[in-house]
Amino acid sequence: ETGVTQSPTHLIKTRGQQVTLRCSSQSGHNTVSWYQQALGQGPQFIFQYYREEENGRGNFPPRFSGLQFPNYSSELNVNALELDDSALYLCASSPGLQETQYFGPGTRLLVL
Amino acid sequence: EDQVTQSPEALRLQEGESSSLNCSYTVSGLRGLFWYRQDPGKGPEFLFTLYSAGEEKEKERLKATLTKKESFLHITAPKPEDSATYLCAVQLGGGADGLTFGKGTHLIIQP
């Protein structure tokens, strides 16, 4: 059984650019959540998608947006990148709402 | 505001020296408490879910317990491969499913 995968593994962007991160959920999982983890901190919840609809959002500005596709894979888009957006971005999938979340390896984003 | 606090921030133990990590939380309507292990530069690896006070779960050298205000992760006779950051997270009932994480405990086991 394939676990959660994310691409790319690493990314370097400059301030003001836009970035798209991708996530493939674990087989049989219909819920995807995205988190941002700064160095030395715990992950912070960005938003969650359930069956292609946004199902909740953390304290992140609208320039953080997402999509979930019919196969339950997901994208995280960040517009107008800022230096503070440099972090490890984690995707987690679960078999349904209020179920245990399983994390992917993350995408390391560096904004210069 | 919902909060999760983990202590200590860092812990260095000798191989075989047992200890406990603490996770205290101030939330209303807790649905579940989760423990994850995270190695440097990698995603968190799921360890345990606890749902109600008094519940205990074990896996190899790890045992997690839950009370109404805190959870403990007990590590018995640890080995160097247990070195990692251990993260605690809470999930609230109803509404958004996002997990609220603590900052983690960085555990080092010296041979």
Side-chain angles (χ1 to χ4, degrees), chain B residues 33-64:
Chain B
L33 185 140
F34 301 81
W35 283 98
Y36 290 86
R37 167 195 170 125
Q38 187 174 29
D39 293 307
K42 298 190 177 180
E45 174 189 345
F46 171 70
L47 294 173
F48 304 109
T49 307
L50 301 166
Y51 293 106
S52 56
E55 190 174 0
E56 297 183 352
K57 288 194 176 170
E58 285 188 67
K59 178 181 178 181
E60 295 180 353
R61 294 177 293 282
L62 299 175
K63 182 168 84 171

Side-chain angles (χ1 to χ4, degrees), chain B residues 9 13 23 33 39 43 55 70 83 86 89:
Chain B
E9 291 185 6
L13 300 172
C23 171
L33 185 140
D39 293 307
E55 190 174 0
E70 58 190 349
S83 297
Y86 290 85

